[in-house]
Amino acid sequence: MTRACRTLPATLAVLGLASCHRAEPPLPPAHPHYVVGAPYEMGGVWQYPREDFGYRQTGLAVADPDQTPYITADGEQYDPQSLTGRHATLQLPAIVTVRNMENGRELTIRLNDRGPEERGRLVGLTPRVAALLGIGTNPVQVEIIGHEAENEQLAEALPGGQHLDVSAAPVDQIRAESLDRPGSGGTVVAAPAGAVGTTDVSALMRDLPPDVRQGYVQGGMLWVDAGTFSTQRYAHVAAARTGGRVIPVQERGRALWRVHVGPFTNVAGADRALDQLLGDGMTGARIVVE
């Protein structure tokens, strides 16, 4: 991290002790583990982490503004050049595909931290991921698609997982080792020979390849989702209160009703509407792209 150079006494400068570079304190060792976590407040909004191995959602992405090294929520070392990202509620780590809906580029990354702090943003991306996907200074629409098999394997094999297989390696036999190559931005989880799923999990915890795929471009408008209701009458009450409209949906075989406010032609308009709804007590409001 670049710091401003302090002015030191002339005697120190003469002795050659003045310097514009101060070493950062060393980071603690990386210990990758599986975590869901308790509810927490971020940016004035309560978040409720939960496991979801078939997650699919649209929203807005933002590049990480701060690139200072730190330890992520799942125990990895943050690297701005790694193919990783942040999410408010998904289990960590989570393998996901992020797609820029405006240009069709898509990339598989590993979510390993909580965030982003900006309200109304679905996912935070490292500068490298943002560049590969063509995300500039303004957020763009993205879609996250779950990788069920890989994520279930991570939950079963990593320390802290709640779905450990009885035949898996004991937690105290799993160790974290730093990758040797510069800029790797991650760690590899290694278990003893013969442990169930060792090879696959180790591969998943390595840096993912920067294989940008050209998917389809999907247009869409910005809306603010004011909430999802299991009773149509309550949905109409919320729509009348927010000035939105009721949209019937099917979710895992259940009939539900969502209240959408908008549409909005730009991010600034959606942000203003989101802030108003959150201020009015609609704590589950979020920005979506449809």
Side-chain angles (χ1 to χ4, degrees), residues 34-42 47-51 64 70-75 85-94 111-118 121-124:
Y34 184 80
V35 61
V36 177
Y40 65 98
E41 186 178 9
M42 180 175 61
Q47 304 290 347
Y48 299 89
R50 66 187 182 94
E51 291 179 323
D64 292 337
Y70 67 96
I71 297 298
T72 63
D74 73 350
R86 299 182 291 152
H87 193 274
T89 60
L90 277 177
Q91 68 275 2
L92 302 174
L111 301 176
N112 63 4
D113 200 23
R114 290 292 176 225
E117 288 77 13
E118 296 88 342
R121 302 302 179 260
L122 178 67
V123 63

Side-chain angles (χ1 to χ4, degrees), residues 97-267:
T97 294
V98 180
R99 178 162 57 87
N100 184 337
M101 295 169 66
E102 292 183 338
N103 60 22
R105 296 182 192 173
E106 58 183 44
L107 182 66
T108 299
I109 69 172
R110 181 171 62 253
L111 301 176
N112 63 4
D113 200 23
R114 290 292 176 225
E117 288 77 13
E118 296 88 342
R119 294 205 297 192
R121 302 302 179 260
L122 178 67
V123 63
L125 306 172
T126 63
R128 187 185 185 195
V129 172
L132 288 171
L133 290 175
I135 295 176
T137 56
N138 297 321
V140 299
Q141 299 116 16
V142 300
E143 186 173 29
I144 295 181
I145 306 171
H147 293 243
E148 293 84 353
E150 299 96 321
N151 287 311
E152 288 177 359
Q153 187 178 33
L154 287 171
E156 291 173 356
L158 284 177
Q162 299 300 312
H163 304 283
L164 296 176
D165 190 301
V166 294
S167 60
V171 171
D172 60 358
Q173 294 184 26
I174 299 178
R175 66 184 188 277
E177 296 177 350
S178 298
L179 297 176
D180 293 331
R181 59 189 180 86
S184 62
T187 57
V188 55
V189 173
V196 175
T198 298
T199 302
D200 292 337
V201 173
S202 297
L204 290 175
M205 290 303 293
R206 292 182 186 274
D207 260 3
L208 295 169
D211 296 334
V212 178
R213 303 174 295 278
Q214 185 59 51
Y216 58 91
V217 176
Q218 180 180 347
M221 300 293 293
L222 292 170
W223 300 81
V224 176
D225 187 339
T228 301
F229 301 85
S230 58
T231 303
Q232 186 176 12
R233 178 168 64 90
Y234 293 146
H236 282 287
V237 171
R241 175 184 172 187
T242 61
R245 66 176 186 174
V246 177
I247 301 175
V249 296
Q250 287 285 332
E251 187 174 293
R252 298 176 181 175
R254 297 176 58 204
L256 301 171
W257 289 266
R258 288 179 181 163
V259 177
H260 280 186
V261 178
F264 303 95
T265 58
N266 54 57
V267 173

Side-chain angles (χ1 to χ4, degrees), residues 1-6 8 17-24:
M1 180 175 63
T2 302
R3 297 179 183 269
C5 182
R6 295 191 302 170
L8 297 180
L17 300 179
S19 175
C20 291
H21 303 284
R22 293 193 300 173
E24 295 291 340

